Amino acid sequence: MEPINQMKLEFLSVPENEGFARVAVSAFAVQLNPTLDVLADIKTAVSEAVTNAIVHGYGEKKGLVTVRAALMPTGVLEIAVHDDGCGIKDIQQAMQPFFTTQPEKERSGMGFSVMQTFMDGVGVESVPGGGTTVRMRKRLRAEE
């Protein structure tokens, strides 16, 4: 199924760009007139995924984070957040609520459970040493 509209953002893996990505994706989603609660859910999930790419994917290195979003004719927003960072060795372990790759920094986890709470679907594809893609779906309106 072809999207009715789509976007792509690429930016450096610096913390300041997390807010940029969150606002850009939510502004894109406004086309389908979602509620404020739904927009807040999208912003939170995008924030978690982009922060993972920056903090866990690249760490101290710099790289590109790519965010794609597509509005589907079914009223669903599809989002993909991709990095070419270190990848995830064990996705099931990484998706546990308090798992972190940086326990010394007192992080509370990688946020996958947050993404799952706020989105209708979350999937993770990763290759150790080859990067990670987080795919999320959120229904914005009833199917026409």
Side-chain angles (χ1 to χ4, degrees):
M1 179 179 324
E2 289 291 316
I4 57 175
N5 200 0
Q6 60 188 8
M7 60 160 263
K8 176 183 173 184
L9 292 174
E10 282 189 341
F11 48 86
L12 279 178
S13 60
V14 295
E16 295 80 9
N17 285 334
E18 174 271 327
F20 167 65
R22 177 182 65 232
V23 170
V25 173
S26 65
F28 180 75
V30 166
Q31 297 172 56
L32 292 182
N33 199 26
T35 67
L36 291 177
D37 287 340
V38 168
L39 281 177
D41 292 350
I42 292 165
K43 287 179 180 179
T44 300
V46 168
S47 291
E48 292 292 333
V50 170
T51 298
N52 279 353
I54 294 168
V55 171
H56 300 286
Y58 289 113
E60 300 299 318
K61 298 181 213 167
K62 295 285 186 276
L64 286 179
V65 178
T66 304
V67 178
R68 295 176 185 266
L71 295 170
M72 304 307 290
T74 57
V76 171
L77 174 68
E78 296 181 351
I79 303 165
V81 177
H82 175 79
D83 68 72
D84 291 315
C86 66
I88 300 171
K89 192 181 302 183
D90 184 340
I91 293 172
Q92 295 296 356
Q93 180 185 37
M95 293 184 85
Q96 295 303 309
F98 294 104
F99 175 80
T100 180
T101 62
Q102 299 178 347
E104 71 282 357
K105 293 189 178 178
E106 298 183 24
R107 296 204 173 269
S108 60
M110 293 181 69
F112 289 117
S113 60
V114 173
M115 290 178 235
Q116 290 170 326
T117 298
F118 290 114
M119 301 300 278
D120 297 324
V122 176
V124 180
E125 301 163 12
S126 191
V127 175
T132 301
T133 301
V134 176
R135 297 184 191 283
M136 302 177 283
R137 297 173 51 86
K138 182 76 170 180
R139 178 162 298 285
L140 303 182
R141 61 175 166 71
E143 189 170 349
E144 295 179 345

